[in-house]
Amino acid sequence: MPDRIGPAELRTLDRAHVWHPYGPMPGRQEPLVVESASGVRLRLAEPAHGQLELVDGMSSWWSAVHGYNHPVLNDAARGQLDRMSHVMFGGLTHEPAVRLATRLVEITPEPLQHVFLADSGSVSVEVAVKMCLQYWRSAGRPAKRRLLTWRGGYHGDTWQPMSVCDPEGGMHELWSGSLPRQVFADAPPDGFDAAPDDAYVRHLRELVAAHADELAAVIVEPVVQGAGGMRFHSPTYLRVLREACDEHDVLLVFDEIATGFGRTGQLFAAGHAGVSPDVMCVGKALTGGYLTLAATLCTSRVAEGISSGDVPVLAHGPTFMGNPLASAVACASVDLLLGQDWELEVKRIGAGLRRGLAEAAGVPGVRDVRVLGAIGVVQLDHEVDMAAATRSAVREGVWLRPFRDLVYTMPPYVTGDDDVARICRAVCAAAKEG
Ligand SMILES: *Cc1c(COP(=O)(O)O)cnc(C)c1O
């Protein structure tokens, strides 16, 4: 193969050999070839619909909060690369992992004291579930091994996470018989600011109570359900879950993989409710979108419970656990975030999204427009035509990835006001033509 492969050839080879997310083989869509990325812009290898550069409205799925090719993150990666990019974590430790774990303990709710560094969000959810099941096994209550969640969620694509994804959109039918069967509450009523629905609160309490003897944990995405439908709910329901879990001896897991690191306007979405989970997962923006890394945090009660059982260890240990390169970049990314007024930036972007997306409310076929933190969502009353919607966004010079009935955006926090306005024009165009 030549040193550089041209874009046409790349697309041919891509179609023939490379799986893409939720894609068939060979691929049916024509992916755009990205050559490089800098700031909030993706540079294409060849113009698409007249654009060579696209403003990234997706932060590469919630992760690139500081934008691309950031000098501080580049330096952190280069510096670590010169020391070591990886070393096994069994019997060895190193500064990047220790520093990162300590930092995560400092910035997450106080009861969370122990950190398992996993290699992806889905794996961190697997670890969270394993922690909960093992906790109850150690406590002499092995029957407590089911999970409760509410509908409309998304927790990843591996086995346990899939079992708590929305049963309608989560391909449960495809896997029925193989997936663990979990307990599902109705989806939380819509609206971050909506007054709590008493009937729903009762529903949650009753369901936890009814299944308490078999429940290891309740697992939910706090405040924002992401890939399951981009829905926002009242933080009250998180307080209700915390109370119900305490009352009935059930652990509470918050999956903050999408919501963590400021995206919803609080550093972690649990902050909106003022409650702390027993176990919490973070990922996505953890490394500022540079490398794959996630973490599962737990309380001392959970850790001590596991470690005092008849199998007194947490039986999990991925090859790339605590990867130094990813940990070093994560430390730099967290420091970069906390070293600036991120709250102000998230508010600024939220205000820009509110302004720019208001127009979409009047577009025929639009059911709802909502903004929370630096997340903007336009929900249609029909399935979006992904190809048409993407095309109209690209024409506006913006990268979006609509799905189901949703055209949505969560821009990097460094996106300037003009680019936020441009993203909004693209979302409106995609909503019109999709
Ligand atoms: C993306 C996501 C995951 C899965 O993370 P991966 O790194 O893709 O495995 C889990 N939970 C939530 C809430 C997510 O948004």
Side-chain angles (χ1 to χ4, degrees), residues 62 120-123 125 154-156 221 255 257-258 284:
W62 313 84
S120 76
S122 300
V123 172
V125 174
Y154 177 79
H155 297 280
E221 294 157 279
D255 177 348
I257 292 167
K284 291 204 160 105

Side-chain angles (χ1 to χ4, degrees), residues 54-76:
L54 300 179
V55 173
D56 177 22
M58 302 302 292
S59 296
S60 282
W61 277 334
W62 313 84
S63 64
V65 290
H66 306 298
Y68 301 87
N69 220 332
H70 195 289
V72 171
L73 302 187
N74 287 3
D75 279 350

